Amino acid sequence: MANPRVNRANRYARDVVAGKIDACRFVRLACQRHLDDLARERDKSFPYRFDRKTAEQYCRLVEQFPHVKGKWAGQPFLLQPWQLFILCCVFGWKRKSDGLRRFREMYVEVPRKNGKSALAAAIGLLMAFVDGESGAEVYSGATSEKQAWEVFRPARLMAEQADGFKEDIPVDIRAKAMFCHRTASKFEPLIGKPGDGASPHCAIIDEYHEHQTPDLYDTMKTGMGARTQPLQVVITTAGTNISGPCYDRRGHVVQVLEGLSEDDTLFGIIFTLDEDDDWTDLDNWRKANPNFGVSVFEDFLADRLREAKSQASRQNIIRCKHLNQWLNANTAWMNMVAWNKCADRSLAMDDFSGRPCWIGLDLANKVDITAMVILFRDGDTYTAFGRYYLAEETVWLPENTHYQSWAQEELIVVTPGAVTDFEFIKDDLRSMAEKFDIQEVAYDPWQAAQLASEMDQEGLPMVEMRQTVLNMSEPMKQLEASVLSGDFRFTGDPVLTWMASNVTAHFDAKDNIYPRKDRREAKIDGIVALIMAMGRAMLNQGPERSIYEERGVLFL
C-alpha cells in the first residue's frame, strides 16, 4: 500500500471527526481543518496542496530513530496515529506557488508522559540535518538548563544510536551540540534569554508555559526572516499562569481552530478534556492522553486520580499536568469552565443607557491596578463591565508583557507617569453618570477617601464599603452562585477572567468567605470591585424589583 503512514494519519482524522476515537473539541477541530483542506485541495483558488510523498518520507525518517529510555529503549520509534497526524500535517502541506512548506509554526499542547519531548527531539534532528537547509541552526530552548536538555538529550542519543545516522549525514556529536560540517548545520540547546544573532531554521520551545515573557519565542521568530521555510515548534503541557505568553499563544491557536482568526501558517492541536467532561471519570482521561496505554498507563493515571480526589491541595496541579487543564491558583475559588460560559462578546455598555447600575471601585495603591466594575441587574441576572487603570511606567516594565498586550488592545486605561492618575477615573465616573442611572458607587475608604469626597460634592452617590469579611462574604457567594447557574454575563474580558482565576477562597469558622490571592503578581482587583458592586445591588435592588416582592414584609 502506498504511503501507509499518511493513510493512518488521515484515517485518524476521519475517525476523530466521526467520533470513533474519543477526542476533545480542539482535536476534532484540528482534524476537521485538515479534512476540509484536503477537500479544497483541487480548487485552483486554494493556495495549498498536500504532498503525501513528503509527509510519508518524514514520518518514515522519524521511525528510523530509536527510543532512548523506558521499556522501549533501543526499539524503533513507532509513531502513534496522533503523532502521524501531526507530522503529516506539518511536513505534508505545501504552498502551490513555490512548493515550500505551508506551516511555519506548530503548537502542540499535550499532558505529561505522552512522549512529546521524544517527538520534538526527532523533529529537531530532521530539521537540522535532513531538511536540506544549508547552514541550518536548530535550537532547543527553555528557561532552564535542565528543561533545555529534555529535548536535546534524547535527540543526541537518537543520533548516536540510529543505525548509520551519524555516518551517513555525517554528524559530529558533542556533549553540548551536534554539527554537520558538510552543510554547516548545527543543533544545540539554548537557555534563558537569547541574543539577537541567531538565525534559526527551527526553534523548539519546550514547556512554554514556564516562560514568564515571550522573549525566547519572539527572538527565535524574528530571527527566522532569512530562512525560506523555517519551523517554530512549541510543545508544552498546560500551566498555571494564564497571564503568561503561552496561554496567550494558546488563545490564538483556539481562535484559529474555531475559525475566528485566520492563520494558514499555524498548525495547532490541544489535547485536553471538554468543558462538560467529568474529570473524576478515568475514562475521560483517555481523551486528554493520546498515548493512553502506550507511554502513559492506566494504573499510573488511576493513581493520580485517586491522589487528586483525596488531596485537595494536589487536585489542580494533577489536572493541569495530566489533563492539560489551565488551572491558575493552587486553591482556586472560581469554576473557570462555568465562568467562561458566561462570556457574551455581543454585550455593549451603550445598550444599557439610562438603566440603573451599581459601581464597585477598588482603588489600589498608585503603582498597581485600579479597577472599576459597572454592574446592571435584570431580575436574577447580573451583567458586568470592567475598566482598569494602570500607570504607564508600570505597564512597560519587562515582566508586565500581559499588561502591554492589554494596553495595545485598549483593555486597560494607561495613565501617564509613574503613578495612576485618578483624574482619569473621575472623568469616567462623570461620563457614566450622564449615561446611566447610577444607584451607588461603592468604595473602600482606605485608598479612595479624597476621590469619594470630590465625587460626592459633584452629586454622585458615593457609598463607603469596607472590604471586611462581613461585607464581602455574601456577595462573593452570590457571584459564584450566579456564575454556576448562568445568571451572570460579561463581555469575555480577558483581564477580568485572569483576575477571576487568581482568586483563592478563605473561609472562616462561620463559613464566611473572603477573596485572596496566593501570589503578589496575581491581581484580583476587578473581582473585588465586582463583589463590592454586587453587594450593593443585593442590598438595594432598585426600582425594577423590590426585596419585599421576593420575601414579603418581616414583622418583628
Side-chain angles (χ1 to χ4, degrees):
M1 182 185 295
N3 303 323
R5 297 168 182 83
V6 173
N7 293 335
R8 287 178 65 200
N10 287 338
R11 189 185 314 122
Y12 171 81
R14 292 192 298 270
D15 287 349
V16 165
V17 171
K20 295 179 181 179
I21 295 176
D22 199 14
C24 74
R25 182 169 65 94
F26 299 132
V27 175
R28 294 195 301 272
L29 289 171
C31 290
Q32 188 65 64
R33 183 190 188 197
H34 173 66
L35 296 177
D36 289 345
D37 288 350
L38 286 177
R40 295 193 294 165
E41 187 179 6
R42 294 184 180 180
D43 188 335
K44 291 183 178 179
S45 64
F46 187 62
Y48 308 106
R49 64 181 180 87
F50 186 58
D51 188 333
R52 288 154 179 80
K53 182 178 179 180
T54 298
E56 180 75 20
Q57 177 189 17
Y58 275 82
C59 292
R60 178 173 53 80
L61 288 168
V62 168
E63 291 192 335
Q64 291 181 357
F65 293 118
H67 285 285
V68 294
K69 61 181 178 180
K71 72 174 188 177
W72 299 282
Q75 298 180 29
F77 193 152
L78 295 180
L79 292 164
Q80 298 302 303
W82 69 278
Q83 295 169 322
L84 289 169
F85 172 71
I86 291 171
L87 290 173
C88 284
C89 286
V90 171
F91 290 101
W93 280 105
K94 294 183 177 180
R95 299 191 305 216
K96 291 178 180 177
S97 60
D98 54 17
L100 297 176
R101 271 193 298 271
R102 165 189 176 177
F103 291 115
R104 305 304 171 89
E105 178 179 353
M106 61 176 278
Y107 180 98
V108 177
E109 195 175 288
V110 64
R112 294 184 63 189
K113 305 297 182 181
N114 282 274
K116 65 179 179 59
S117 296
L119 182 63
I123 291 172
L125 288 172
L126 295 184
M127 292 295 292
F129 307 119
V130 181
D131 203 43
E133 180 79 5
S134 295
E137 298 176 21
V138 175
Y139 300 100
S140 167
T143 57
S144 66
E145 183 173 1
K146 180 180 181 296
Q147 194 60 54
W149 278 78
E150 286 298 311
V151 170
F152 183 76
R153 183 181 294 107
R156 190 181 66 178
L157 293 172
M158 286 177 176
E160 287 178 338
Q161 298 176 18
D163 290 341
F165 179 78
K166 62 182 178 181
E167 291 79 19
D168 293 342
I169 300 299
V171 178
D172 178 9
I173 302 174
R174 302 182 186 179
K176 295 185 177 181
M178 289 183 278
F179 300 93
C180 177
H181 299 290
R182 187 174 65 195
T183 61
S185 300
K186 67 177 180 179
F187 183 1
E188 62 185 18
L190 181 65
I191 301 145
K193 186 174 180 179
D196 294 325
S199 177
H201 177 54
C202 175
I204 301 168
I205 302 176
D206 190 27
E207 299 296 13
Y208 192 31
H209 71 90
E210 294 184 354
H211 292 234
Q212 298 302 311
T213 73
D215 290 344
L216 178 61
Y217 178 96
D218 290 343
T219 301
M220 293 293 99
K221 196 79 168 180
T222 56
M224 291 176 173
R227 302 292 181 176
T228 56
Q229 50 177 4
L231 182 63
Q232 184 102 315
V233 178
V234 175
I235 190 158
T236 186
T237 59
T240 60
N241 180 14
I242 70 169
S243 67
C246 185
Y247 193 79
D248 183 64
R249 196 63 192 157
R250 181 190 196 269
H252 178 61
V253 171
V254 169
Q255 286 190 324
V256 170
L257 291 175
E258 292 178 335
L260 301 175
S261 180
E262 187 173 334
D263 189 346
D264 285 343
T265 67
L266 170 66
F267 171 83
I269 191 166
I270 298 169
F271 294 90
T272 185
L273 298 189
D274 286 313
E275 291 180 348
D276 296 328
D277 287 336
D278 178 5
W279 70 269
T280 66
D281 184 347
L282 187 61
D283 284 341
N284 287 332
W285 289 45
R286 295 175 181 270
K287 182 185 290 189
N289 291 273
N291 255 20
F292 192 101
V294 179
S295 65
V296 57
F297 300 105
E298 183 170 358
D299 58 347
F300 171 81
L301 293 179
D303 286 343
R304 301 288 77 72
L305 176 56
R306 281 192 290 271
E307 185 181 355
K309 286 181 176 179
S310 62
Q311 300 181 44
S313 62
R314 295 282 296 157
Q315 183 183 123
N316 277 9
I317 194 65
I318 289 172
R319 292 172 63 185
C320 178
K321 296 309 173 189
H322 296 293
L323 293 177
N324 235 25
Q325 295 179 312
W326 286 79
L327 300 166
N328 197 22
N330 290 333
T331 52
W333 161 64
M334 179 59 70
N335 181 325
M336 294 308 295
V337 172
W339 173 272
N340 287 324
K341 286 183 179 179
C342 295
D344 183 351
R345 290 171 174 79
S346 68
L347 289 172
M349 197 155 55
D350 287 345
D351 293 339
F352 291 77
S353 180
R355 294 274 302 276
C357 69
W358 291 263
I359 295 177
L361 189 58
D362 184 37
L363 269 69
N365 63 65
K366 292 194 173 187
V367 294
D368 214 335
I369 293 180
T370 285
M372 178 193 298
V373 171
I374 305 93
L375 187 68
F376 298 89
R377 180 170 182 170
D378 184 8
D380 291 328
T381 301
Y382 295 93
T383 304
F385 298 88
R387 287 182 67 78
Y388 318 96
Y389 307 81
L390 198 55
E392 183 177 30
E393 289 189 12
T394 302
V395 170
W396 294 106
L397 290 173
E399 64 269 23
N400 289 338
T401 55
H402 52 308
Y403 294 156
Q404 294 158 25
S405 174
W406 291 332
Q408 291 168 356
E409 297 176 41
E410 298 183 347
L411 294 171
I412 60 176
V413 177
V414 181
T415 71
V419 297
T420 302
D421 187 346
F422 286 178
E423 292 300 322
F424 284 76
I425 301 163
K426 296 174 188 176
D427 287 344
D428 279 348
L429 285 171
R430 296 179 185 114
S431 176
M432 289 173 192
E434 294 176 358
K435 292 181 181 179
F436 311 114
D437 181 10
I438 298 178
Q439 301 297 295
E440 294 176 341
V441 179
Y443 69 94
D444 187 329
W446 184 67
Q447 292 284 356
Q450 182 175 344
L451 181 147
S453 175
E454 293 179 23
M455 293 292 95
D456 184 69
Q457 291 177 16
E458 294 186 26
L460 270 73
M462 308 298 293
V463 176
E464 180 180 304
M465 182 177 178
R466 296 182 182 274
Q467 293 177 11
T468 63
V469 172
L470 290 179
N471 282 337
M472 303 293 279
S473 181
E474 288 306 313
M476 186 173 175
K477 290 178 180 178
Q478 179 62 55
L479 174 57
E480 181 181 20
S482 297
V483 168
L484 293 174
S485 64
D487 291 328
F488 175 76
R489 300 188 304 165
F490 76 115
T491 62
D493 166 10
V495 184
L496 195 61
T497 295
W498 171 60
M499 292 177 175
S501 74
N502 288 333
V503 177
T504 62
H506 172 73
F507 291 88
D508 66 14
K510 297 182 179 180
D511 204 32
N512 292 311
I513 189 172
Y514 190 81
R516 288 187 175 176
K517 58 186 181 181
D518 61 358
R519 305 186 316 277
R520 183 186 61 82
E521 66 274 14
K523 308 304 180 187
I524 64 173
D525 311 84
I527 297 299
V528 170
L530 173 56
I531 292 170
M532 294 171 70
M534 185 161 284
R536 300 312 303 176
M538 290 168 64
L539 288 173
N540 304 282
Q541 297 182 52
E544 292 185 349
R545 190 172 182 181
S546 168
I547 191 170
Y548 303 111
E549 294 173 359
E550 292 187 1
R551 59 152 170 82
V553 178
L554 296 180
F555 294 93
L556 300 176

